[in-house]
Amino acid sequence: KGQMLKPPLMCAFSSEVTATSRHYVDRLFDPDPQKVLQGVIDMKNAVIGNNKQKANLIVLGAVPRLLYLLQQSSSSLELRTECAVVLGSLAMGTENNIKSLVDCHIIPALLQGLLCPELIFIEVCLRCLRTVFISPVTPVQLLYTDPTVIPHLMSLLSRSQRTQEYITQIFSHCCKTPEHQTVLFNHGAIQNIAPLLISPSYKVRMQALKCFSVLAYENTQVSMTLVNVLVDGELLSQVFVRMMQRDQPIEMQLTAAKCLTYMCRAGAIRTDDSCVVLKTLPCLVRMCSKEHLLEERVEGAETLAYLMEPDVELQRIASTTDHLVAMLADYFKYPSSVSAITDIKRVGHYDPIILSLDHDLKHAHELRQAAFKLYASLGSNDEDIRKKITETENMMDRIVSGLSESSIKVRLAAVRCLHSLSRSVQQLRTSFHDHAVWRPLMKLLQNAPDEVLVMASSTLCNLLLEFSPSKEPILESGVIELLCSLTQSDSPALRVNGIWALMNMAFQAEQKVKVEIVRSLGTEQLFRLLSDPDSNVLMKTLGLLRNLLSTRPHIDQIMSSHGKQIMQAVTLILEAEHSIEVKEQTLCILANIADGNTAKELIMTNDDMLQKIKYYMGHSNVKLQLAATFCISNLIWNEEDGSQERQDKLREMGFVDILHKLTQASDPNLCDRAKTAMQQYLA
Amino acid sequence: MAELGAGSLSLGDPAFNYQEHELNERLKRLYPAVNEEETPLPRSWSPKDKYSYIGLSQNNLRVHYKGHGKNHKDAASVRATHPIPAACGIYYFEVKIVSKGRDGYMGIGLSAQGVNMNRLPGWDKHSYGYHGDDGHSFCSSGTGQPYGPTFTTGDVIGCCVNLINNTCFYTKNGISLGVAFTDLPPNLYPTVGLQTPGEIVDANFGQQPFVFDIEDYMSEWRAKIHGMIARFPIGERLGEWQSVLQNMVSSYLVHHGYCATATAFARATETIIQEEQTSIKNRQRIQKLVLAGRVGEAIDATQHLYPGLLEHNPNLLFMLKCRQFVEMVNGTDSEVRCLTIRSPKSQDSYPGSPSLSPRHGASNTHLHTGADSPTCSNGVTPPNKSKSHSGTGSSSIKYPSVSSSASSSTSSSPSSVNYSESNSSDSTKSQPHSANSTQETSLSLNFRRNQTHVTRSSNHDSEMEIEAEHYTNGVVEGSSARIMNGTYKHEEILQPDDNSIDEGCTNGRQLCGGNQAATERMIHFGRELQALNEQLGREYGKNATHKKMLQDAFSLLAYSDPWNCPVGQQLDPTQRESLCSALNSAILESQNLPKQPPLMLALGQATECVQLMARVRSGSCSFARVDNFLH
């Protein structure tokens, strides 16, 4: 067994170890096959549990020789088997060992070995392959390079419990992409692996279950197939439910819950199915409890967050299950004191205690981000749940500090959580303001990866809503520049959020804010956004325009400086192919312009525009008719300078007839609007 | 399942009977450790333990409010008929809200006996509740704590009491809401309280399947407790434990006379056998004789090898003689067998293995309770569904009580028999006999041309006496009077089973093997036996057990086919086992060796401990049952 040698001693022994290692390698080249075999067996016994010895042998070139012996048809079965065993042992060492083995092309050699008819040799090859493939340093693609490998592995599944265990373990570690899922699916993974779920061997059952969880993840095809699979006459979902029984090992319960979660999210199982509501969800909530391992709590919380993300009913049920909201607060109590750890860290770096603390610290991050994710999912729809979350002890403080944590994962999860809670008017008015969440949020926006930026800016949009008390301090912090720069991003999500935030900011804003927005954004950028390929961006930009063009003095002021471009843009949009919503929004902008004192003239002098308005008054869509009528109504409004001339001009153009017709409209709003407009003529 | 609004169920109603059956089955499955004779389970609300504003219907499962409901002073509660037994381990009931009434001020929970019923559960000391209007939990206090969601019409609220850690959680529509109360006191009753008109709730104490998967929850605790037992730290004492276990196995083998096995085991484990080889072999020989039905020879051998033993145990001697008489009827005892022409081979050996070890079936153990048998303080009662109704290790003078199935006596016992000496195989003429005939008449035995009135009494009192007399410090024979009264045993034994019945008895079985001389010998022996009884009666006072034993043995003669008569069970070879172990124990005791193998003693101790746990309200006893560990 490997001994823990203190560093100075290890140096002293080093050369001696190398000498004996060399002897082991030399024996592999002996002309007598019997001696070679004995050499390999001795080597096997020497490397077990001895990482130093393993490293030495690799450096001395044992691997290519072992692989050569393993592949030689002249080698005896026993020798080939022992070679595979030694290679497997070497693979059990450090990640560097694995890298060296992979560099020596151990994978094709072992895969080739699987063609041998002898079961014992197949098993040791698989065992070694398993060890290599489950290492994070091995490129999983190597499993798929040769297209004959997967079908052959499938055929080997029937050979023995060992082949079943190793092959399913290889599959579950090497299925990382939708393409991998498809390859395995197309080679009959489901039919071949399903029977293993009732294998007498726990290891086989467990690895088969893991296979299904990776196969079903975000894969509709696999999930839809799985729901109809029968194992020994029982539906697969029922097999999974049985595996979630509370007397089963936690690993099995958790993995079975993952399978059902993925099947549910892929649409193969309804969210109100009892196996989801009464089994999967409670099982995942249980996994979050303190009595489980940290990894299990993290996985449980993340899976649960994923399960209920799209379904408010599941969110409501989870929020009342086993005090989940309070239970999650425990995720932040680990480790008890971060400062204590950082203090110890300064002392030294190689102490094993510190290493384990590093490990703990990593877990602490994982726990926190999982809790934030789950809170985000819980609070994404229901106001009562959001209230419950924010009332959890120190919740807002935790989010605030989470926003500035070193780990990106935690920051992202914290901002997701904040975003979810920011959908609540109530919370925006109270806890968000009390805890000045805008401050760390603004800091986060200064320099962050795109995924964090998207969430943060989206949250900012909500904080800039008119009723939000945080709006003022955010404005003062110079947010406009930042938002304007977001609108120039390559990411449509960021452009939307930038312009959306500006739109919210402009709503009923003071003149100087509006001026600042226009100045900072620049008309050029504004018009670029009006032709943005993303219709969301276009809508929000129109919304911004509309918000800018409200109250008469503002309208006139902006139109006097940018009237020409704005009218141009409006014309372009009305002439182009756009959705009803876009056109409606544009007509509303026009109506706002028509409300200005001087701005009116920009329309009145533009016969082409007037014709367009006339066209939309007779449009088949009521919303567009209404917006166009509103525009005319503003133009002919009495009590304003020049109203008589405008009325006359528009009468000449035939608007009165149209208005008259619209007073007979079936839509009461449109009818009222037309009548109000007609009254302007009568007065 | 009774639907909402269905007519109320009444006794005799098939639906009710079905529900009752369901209930019993479910309760048995959920709470196997509960002895309902000692601690009955709640099955309905109590019509006596409620406030006057509460109305009950539907077999006392439906509760409705019939007060004014003006304010909290009009609150009213009802308790279940019985408190929750600790031996449940985990207890669960559900309440369906049929109607929330005016305001839905409903409370579901637990309360101790005597807590004011003019209140909602949770408001007072030793009272706990979860209220529908605000979703708060009330822990012996007028002010609630935020706990769960509100509940209303159509919701099913469950209440689970964990008697292992004394906590309680609720469920709503099958979802667990998390712990509500901790440190609960013992002996709480399921309780509901209502406060405004129109409120109606239905209880489910197991009459219907539960919405929440309580069995899954129980399985987790069972696994936890089994894990705790399996991982019980032994630490430094590993070697000590090993030698204790070896001694247990060794002494068990020795006790039952497995001489060769015991010697081999002792050699392998380097343990020492206390008893001498010859002594073991002697005991083994005597046991084999008893098990082969050759009781006369067994008596002779005992008297020869252990002089004075039977003289000092007149009860044992009497039982042996009684058995000898039965074996004569069977035609297996050597005194009659030598008169028959049968090949001795067929009767030499006890059918099947001479295994004496008790079989621990999976069946439910009906354990002696303190009240029934205060004497068996340390006893274990092996379950006895299996045919080998084994009494191994029982030193008790145990009456193989076949007759107690006399509940059927009126219908099946032709108690008046004409027995003719010259015509032993002829069908006997039976006359209907008054079931009320007194016991005394039955003791007169006149075989020649006389009518023999044989009545078997089913006097329970006398059986209780047997129980009381029957003293043991260890293992108690499985067949307590109570069990033997059950019918299943009777039926099973009467089933013909060639494997377990002496070869000679399978086909055309005849009294004393059909030999006339043997029959005469038997009758003669019967008279001697009666004389012995009378003599013992004079010396030691009347013994109801003996009287009954004798009655049952003689009753065999009252039937044309004794093997297929209500008392024919006595003839079953398995009935020899208890006597065999009694004799074995007596011999061991006379040699100053333990009359019980320590293994059985330990088993008895463990079983008794688990029962004691139930009485001291340690709920984990429910999942630490001894039969879970016997395979």
Side-chain angles (χ1 to χ4, degrees):
Chain A
K1 293 271 156 171
Q3 289 174 333
M4 287 298 288
L5 295 173
K6 295 227 160 64
L9 275 173
M10 204 144 71
C11 297
F13 277 77
S14 184
S15 58
E16 197 176 322
V17 167
T18 312
T20 56
S21 303
R22 180 167 301 285
H23 179 62
Y24 284 121
V25 179
D26 289 346
R27 290 170 68 191
L28 299 180
F29 294 87
D30 198 290
D32 179 355
Q34 250 346 88
K35 284 188 178 161
V36 173
L37 175 62
Q38 194 52 51
V40 175
I41 291 170
D42 290 345
M43 187 186 272
K44 174 177 78 177
N45 294 331
V47 296
I48 290 175
N50 187 338
N51 272 350
K52 186 72 194 165
Q53 184 71 273
K54 286 175 190 174
N56 282 335
L57 290 176
I58 289 170
V59 170
L60 292 168
V63 178
R65 182 63 187 169
L66 285 168
L67 284 172
Y68 172 81
L69 293 170
L70 179 129
Q71 289 172 293
Q72 261 329 83
S73 52
S74 59
S75 302
S76 69
L77 176 68
E78 198 184 359
L79 176 60
R80 294 165 70 202
T81 306
E82 292 297 342
C83 285
V85 172
V86 174
L87 288 166
S89 201
L90 295 177
M92 291 283 198
T94 63
E95 288 188 351
N96 277 331
N97 290 3
I98 299 262
K99 274 184 202 149
S100 310
L101 290 172
V102 173
D103 290 344
C104 292
H105 306 289
I106 188 174
I107 291 174
L110 289 170
L111 288 173
Q112 191 65 30
L114 297 180
L115 298 170
C116 165
E118 297 297 332
L119 181 59
I120 180 153
F121 183 63
I122 291 174
E123 284 179 351
V124 289
C125 285
L126 279 173
R127 197 176 133 80
C128 184
L129 276 170
R130 184 271 316 260
T131 312
V132 173
F133 271 121
I134 64 174
S135 165
V137 299
T138 308
V140 296
Q141 200 51 44
L142 292 174
L143 184 67
Y144 304 93
T145 327
D146 177 351
T148 65
V149 166
I150 301 291
H152 185 59
L153 287 174
M154 292 290 175
S155 73
L156 288 176
L157 275 174
S158 57
R159 292 296 294 275
S160 73
Q161 281 188 8
R162 285 205 185 86
T163 64
Q164 290 167 354
E165 181 196 334
Y166 302 145
I167 292 170
T168 44
Q169 200 174 353
I170 291 169
F171 284 167
S172 55
H173 273 90
C174 294
C175 184
K176 305 266 190 210
T177 66
E179 290 74 32
H180 298 159
Q181 288 174 334
T182 306
V183 170
L184 292 172
F185 176 81
N186 288 341
H187 285 103
I190 292 175
Q191 292 74 14
N192 282 310
I193 298 171
L196 307 186
L197 287 173
I198 52 170
S199 160
S201 151
Y202 172 78
K203 283 180 178 173
V204 172
R205 288 201 303 277
M206 195 57 228
Q207 293 304 333
L209 186 61
K210 280 188 178 166
C211 265
F212 282 120
S213 83
V214 293
L215 282 170
Y217 180 65
E218 294 193 332
N219 190 313
T220 311
Q221 186 186 35
V222 170
S223 296
M224 287 302 199
T225 311
L226 285 180
V227 281
N228 296 315
V229 170
L230 291 174
V231 182
D232 199 24
E234 196 179 11
L235 274 174
L236 203 60
S237 56
Q238 288 312 304
V239 176
F240 291 149
V241 166
R242 255 193 305 110
M243 289 174 143
M244 283 193 299
Q245 272 171 24
R246 296 166 82 141
D247 53 355
Q248 296 294 325
I250 296 301
E251 185 191 27
M252 180 166 272
Q253 291 186 42
L254 184 53
T255 315
K258 275 176 152 180
C259 288
L260 287 166
T261 295
Y262 299 156
M263 286 162 76
C264 179
R265 281 300 305 268
I269 302 176
R270 291 168 53 106
T271 53
D272 59 357
D273 192 297
S274 71
C275 82
V276 173
V277 177
L278 294 180
K279 293 291 174 188
T280 310
L281 184 142
C283 172
L284 290 170
V285 173
R286 275 204 307 280
M287 295 303 134
C288 300
S289 107
K290 231 191 234 174
E291 63 190 83
H292 293 120
L293 299 177
L294 301 176
E295 292 92 335
E296 293 160 356
R297 291 166 73 189
V298 169
E299 261 190 81
E302 288 183 331
T303 311
L304 180 58
Y306 182 64
L307 172 68
M308 65 188 180
E309 203 173 78
D311 190 279
V312 64
E313 203 42 52
L314 289 181
Q315 290 158 13
R316 287 195 186 117
I317 291 168
S319 75
T320 62
T321 303
D322 285 339
H323 308 298
L324 176 64
V325 175
M327 202 192 315
L328 281 178
D330 287 335
Y331 278 48
F332 296 95
K333 293 174 184 160
Y334 184 91
S336 45
S337 167
V338 175
S339 57
I341 285 169
T342 44
D343 283 343
I344 300 167
K345 259 183 121 167
R346 286 188 211 106
V347 180
H349 273 287
Y350 294 103
D351 198 310
I353 296 168
I354 298 300
L355 291 176
S356 86
L357 280 174
D358 261 356
H359 182 71
D360 281 6
L361 208 60
K362 200 182 136 231
H363 273 304
H365 289 314
E366 284 295 305
L367 278 171
R368 281 200 291 274
Q369 63 87 22
F372 281 136
K373 265 187 204 162
L374 188 45
Y375 276 130
S377 188
L378 270 171
S380 56
N381 296 93
D382 188 285
E383 184 66 32
D384 288 340
I385 301 175
R386 287 186 197 121
K387 186 160 177 281
K388 210 165 160 179
I389 293 171
T390 41
E391 282 168 0
T392 308
E393 50 167 321
N394 303 328
M395 192 58 214
M396 291 312 287
D397 289 336
R398 283 186 175 130
I399 296 176
V400 166
S401 58
L403 291 175
S404 45
E405 272 207 35
S406 57
S407 156
I408 286 225
K409 230 175 154 181
V410 179
R411 267 185 289 165
L412 178 58
V415 74
R416 268 175 72 173
C417 181
L418 190 69
H419 176 248
S420 178
L421 297 174
S422 73
R423 291 187 186 148
S424 157
V425 176
Q426 174 74 20
Q427 299 312 323
L428 283 178
R429 284 193 172 136
T430 55
S431 54
F432 273 57
H433 185 60
D434 297 343
H435 290 85
V437 294
W438 63 271
R439 225 185 287 267
L441 190 65
M442 285 299 293
K443 221 176 123 198
L444 195 60
L445 279 163
Q446 303 301 325
N447 186 17
D450 269 11
E451 47 180 354
V452 176
L453 272 185
V454 169
M455 272 296 150
S457 54
S458 190
T459 312
L460 194 66
C461 286
N462 291 340
L463 283 166
L464 285 171
L465 283 168
E466 172 263 336
F467 51 79
S468 161
S470 307
K471 186 178 177 177
E472 276 309 306
I474 295 175
L475 268 177
E476 284 156 23
S477 72
V479 72
I480 295 175
E481 289 287 338
L482 186 118
L483 292 175
C484 291
S485 71
L486 284 184
T487 66
Q488 297 180 5
S489 162
D490 289 335
S491 149
L494 282 180
R495 291 202 303 275
V496 170
N497 287 346
I499 198 75
W500 193 341
L502 288 171
M503 179 187 94
N504 285 349
M505 194 186 285
F507 183 77
Q508 296 185 351
E510 293 168 41
Q511 172 84 2
K512 72 166 194 231
V513 174
K514 290 183 178 173
V515 170
E516 176 63 16
I517 291 173
V518 175
R519 188 201 61 76
S520 182
L521 191 63
T523 42
E524 213 173 303
Q525 174 64 6
L526 186 69
F527 296 119
R528 205 177 293 131
L529 290 169
L530 283 174
S531 53
D532 198 281
D534 188 300
S535 70
N536 261 325
V537 175
L538 175 55
M539 272 303 280
K540 299 305 173 206
T541 312
L542 289 171
L544 168 66
L545 259 183
R546 196 175 151 187
N547 285 347
L548 289 173
L549 293 168
S550 75
T551 74
R552 220 162 267 159
H554 297 176
I555 296 168
D556 289 334
Q557 208 256 329
I558 290 171
M559 289 310 284
S560 67
S561 48
H562 304 289
K564 199 176 161 209
Q565 296 101 314
I566 289 173
M567 289 306 287
Q568 237 168 26
V570 166
T571 310
L572 279 173
I573 292 167
L574 288 178
E575 282 173 359
E577 291 271 329
H578 280 295
S579 64
I580 296 290
E581 286 71 34
V582 168
K583 300 234 160 146
E584 185 197 7
Q585 192 75 300
T586 313
L587 286 171
C588 286
I589 290 168
L590 213 51
N592 281 7
I593 295 170
D595 192 36
N597 282 328
T598 54
K600 274 189 180 65
E601 289 312 309
L602 286 166
I603 300 174
M604 286 308 296
T605 55
N606 187 336
D607 281 2
D608 179 49
M609 188 58 82
L610 288 171
Q611 287 301 335
K612 285 196 168 63
I613 295 171
K614 198 168 153 190
Y615 164 76
Y616 282 109
M617 282 175 81
H619 198 273
S620 60
N621 188 294
V622 174
K623 281 182 184 171
L624 299 186
Q625 284 181 295
L626 203 59
T629 311
F630 196 39
C631 186
I632 289 302
S633 171
N634 280 345
L635 288 175
I636 61 176
W637 204 255
N638 280 318
E639 309 153 19
E640 283 171 26
D641 290 343
S643 62
Q644 192 58 52
E645 290 83 1
R646 288 194 293 275
Q647 282 180 5
D648 291 346
K649 173 165 185 190
L650 292 174
R651 188 200 308 272
E652 279 166 33
M653 289 183 74
F655 276 94
V656 177
D657 297 340
I658 300 171
L659 282 174
H660 196 76
K661 225 183 281 173
L662 288 178
T663 56
Q664 311 295 318
S666 56
D667 185 273
N669 284 333
L670 183 58
C671 180
D672 281 353
R673 176 57 55 196
K675 279 177 184 160
T676 316
M678 285 298 283
Q679 274 164 10
Q680 304 303 314
Y681 277 103
L682 300 171
Chain B
M1 250 196 280
E3 279 297 319
L4 235 173
S8 73
L9 295 164
S10 61
L11 282 159
D13 191 331
F16 175 74
N17 287 338
Y18 173 72
Q19 200 181 54
E20 190 67 18
H21 176 74
E22 275 260 290
L23 175 66
N24 287 330
E25 288 295 302
R26 188 165 290 114
L27 294 183
K28 218 186 290 171
R29 194 172 68 236
L30 290 174
Y31 317 117
V34 173
N35 174 7
E36 283 217 74
E37 294 186 14
E38 208 172 309
T39 51
L41 287 159
R43 282 159 190 261
S44 63
W45 302 115
S46 168
K48 292 172 199 149
D49 199 5
K50 66 177 185 67
Y51 195 63
S52 55
Y53 290 171
I54 289 287
L56 296 179
S57 59
Q58 311 223 358
N59 293 307
N60 295 330
L61 290 175
R62 173 164 289 189
V63 185
H64 68 268
Y65 184 79
K66 55 180 186 183
H68 311 294
K70 284 192 197 113
N71 55 43
H72 74 272
K73 284 179 184 160
D74 294 327
S77 288
V78 58
R79 268 186 285 270
T81 47
H82 299 286
I84 299 162
C88 291
I90 283 161
Y91 180 78
Y92 186 70
F93 71 100
E94 281 181 351
V95 171
K96 179 172 181 144
I97 314 304
V98 177
S99 168
K100 75 173 195 80
R102 197 184 69 203
D103 298 326
Y105 290 161
M106 303 159 294
I108 291 160
L110 308 158
S111 67
Q113 188 154 45
V115 172
N116 188 356
M117 297 264 83
N118 187 13
R119 309 270 285 162
L120 286 187
W123 286 349
D124 302 289
K125 194 167 157 51
H126 289 155
S127 177
Y128 307 85
Y130 166 35
H131 291 195
D133 56 311
D134 56 6
H136 287 186
S137 65
F138 289 73
C139 179
S140 304
S141 156
T143 45
Q145 297 292 317
Y147 169 66
T150 59
F151 57 86
T152 183
T153 308
D155 286 329
V156 175
I157 303 300
C159 176
C160 178
V161 182
N162 182 329
L163 296 127
I164 299 161
N165 60 15
N166 298 314
T167 59
C168 160
F169 68 86
Y170 288 91
T171 66
K172 180 182 170 182
N173 300 326
I175 298 284
S176 162
L177 304 178
V179 171
F181 310 114
T182 57
D183 304 304
L184 290 175
N187 288 326
L188 293 171
Y189 290 72
T191 308
V192 291
L194 305 174
Q195 200 188 296
T196 66
E199 291 168 354
I200 305 169
V201 300
D202 277 351
N204 175 10
F205 294 110
Q207 281 84 359
Q208 289 169 32
F210 291 120
V211 179
F212 176 71
D213 191 347
I214 187 65
E215 286 174 68
D216 193 23
Y217 179 72
M218 285 175 157
S219 75
E220 184 181 344
W221 278 89
R222 188 173 300 118
K224 266 185 203 172
I225 287 174
H226 283 195
M228 223 149 81
I229 294 169
R231 286 190 295 272
F232 183 81
I234 297 169
E236 305 280 300
R237 300 171 58 206
L238 191 63
E240 208 179 307
W241 279 51
Q242 192 179 23
S243 68
V244 166
L245 290 176
Q246 286 168 348
N247 277 324
M248 276 190 154
V249 173
S250 168
S251 57
Y252 185 80
L253 295 171
V254 169
H255 179 94
H256 292 298
Y258 297 109
C259 197
T261 315
T263 313
F265 184 81
R267 205 182 311 122
T269 57
E270 292 169 5
T271 48
I272 299 154
I273 297 176
Q274 299 222 323
E275 196 179 354
E276 278 178 38
Q277 285 268 350
T278 48
S279 171
I280 302 173
K281 283 184 175 155
N282 286 338
R283 284 193 295 109
Q284 195 178 27
R285 213 185 98 215
I286 292 169
Q287 289 188 76
K288 275 186 177 166
L289 287 170
V290 176
L291 291 177
R294 292 154 65 180
V295 183
E297 284 173 73
I299 294 172
D300 289 348
T302 309
Q303 278 166 342
H304 173 70
L305 291 164
Y306 305 98
L309 174 76
L310 292 176
E311 283 72 11
H312 289 117
N313 284 291
N315 285 341
L316 182 59
L317 179 63
F318 182 77
M319 285 205 304
L320 285 164
K321 295 257 183 190
C322 261
R323 186 70 212 174
Q324 192 180 355
F325 179 83
V326 172
E327 298 298 351
M328 282 176 160
V329 175
N330 234 344
T332 41
D333 191 75
S334 35
E335 281 199 54
V336 300
R337 208 189 50 173
C338 64
L339 300 169
T340 66
I341 44 158
R342 216 172 271 274
S343 135
K345 182 188 110 205
S346 66
Q347 296 171 356
D348 243 4
S349 63
Y350 178 73
S353 93
S355 154
L356 281 171
S357 44
R359 290 186 205 167
H360 304 282
S363 67
N364 190 10
T365 315
H366 257 267
L367 297 164
H368 285 273
T369 59
D372 286 347
S373 65
T375 50
C376 58
S377 60
N378 199 13
V380 63
T381 323
N384 246 304
K385 216 167 205 160
S386 71
K387 189 171 296 244
S388 80
H389 138 81
S390 60
T392 314
S394 163
S395 69
S396 62
I397 299 170
K398 186 58 195 148
Y399 174 55
S401 65
V402 177
S403 65
S404 345
S405 54
S407 49
S408 59
S409 71
T410 46
S411 60
S412 65
S413 98
S415 32
S416 165
V417 174
N418 243 334
Y419 184 80
S420 154
E421 189 186 11
S422 57
N423 192 12
S424 62
S425 58
D426 257 8
S427 67
T428 52
K429 201 171 153 194
S430 63
Q431 296 166 357
H433 172 80
S434 154
N436 290 328
S437 70
T438 64
Q439 305 170 14
E440 292 306 321
T441 54
S442 66
L443 277 178
S444 67
L445 273 178
N446 278 316
F447 291 101
R448 204 177 296 256
R449 298 178 47 76
N450 264 349
Q451 282 196 335
T452 313
H453 277 265
V454 181
T455 305
R456 288 162 301 101
S457 86
S458 59
N459 186 335
H460 277 257
D461 289 340
S462 71
E463 279 165 18
M464 296 307 258
E465 243 175 86
I466 300 166
E467 283 299 316
E469 276 169 21
H470 146 158
Y471 180 91
T472 169
N473 195 25
V475 185
V476 174
E477 224 296 281
S479 49
S480 74
R482 200 163 49 245
I483 288 184
M484 294 308 292
N485 270 332
T487 52
Y488 71 89
K489 174 90 186 174
H490 185 61
E491 285 162 7
E492 273 195 18
I493 295 297
L494 286 181
Q495 273 171 6
D497 184 344
D498 291 347
N499 291 332
S500 64
I501 293 173
D502 222 346
E503 263 178 72
C505 300
T506 45
N507 283 319
R509 289 177 301 193
Q510 290 180 317
L511 207 60
C512 302
N515 183 292
Q516 185 159 341
T519 311
E520 278 176 25
R521 172 75 196 108
M522 175 197 72
I523 288 163
H524 181 71
F525 185 82
R527 294 217 181 87
E528 281 175 12
L529 191 54
Q530 193 167 5
L532 178 64
N533 183 35
E534 281 158 18
Q535 183 204 329
L536 288 175
R538 279 192 301 278
E539 280 174 36
Y540 302 98
K542 281 203 173 180
N543 188 320
T545 319
H546 290 179
K547 193 171 89 181
K548 183 146 166 38
M549 216 181 289
L550 206 54
Q551 265 176 24
D552 286 331
F554 289 169
S555 299
L556 287 169
L557 302 179
Y559 299 91
S560 57
D561 181 1
W563 289 270
N564 281 312
C565 78
V567 292
Q569 196 193 8
Q570 290 176 92
L571 295 167
D572 193 297
T574 58
Q575 300 290 317
R576 297 165 188 158
E577 292 174 0
S578 62
L579 184 63
C580 176
S581 66
L583 179 57
N584 189 35
S585 292
I587 294 170
L588 284 166
E589 211 174 7
S590 75
Q591 306 297 299
N592 286 323
L593 289 165
K595 62 176 184 175
Q596 297 282 323
L599 178 63
M600 299 311 287
L601 215 62
L603 202 60
Q605 170 124 18
T607 309
E608 193 61 27
C609 276
V610 172
Q611 287 178 65
L612 205 61
M613 283 169 78
R615 287 191 204 116
V616 300
R617 303 190 194 89
S618 169
S620 42
C621 68
S622 176
F623 303 120
R625 314 196 55 223
V626 173
D627 27 332
N628 288 337
F629 295 88
L630 301 175
H631 302 292

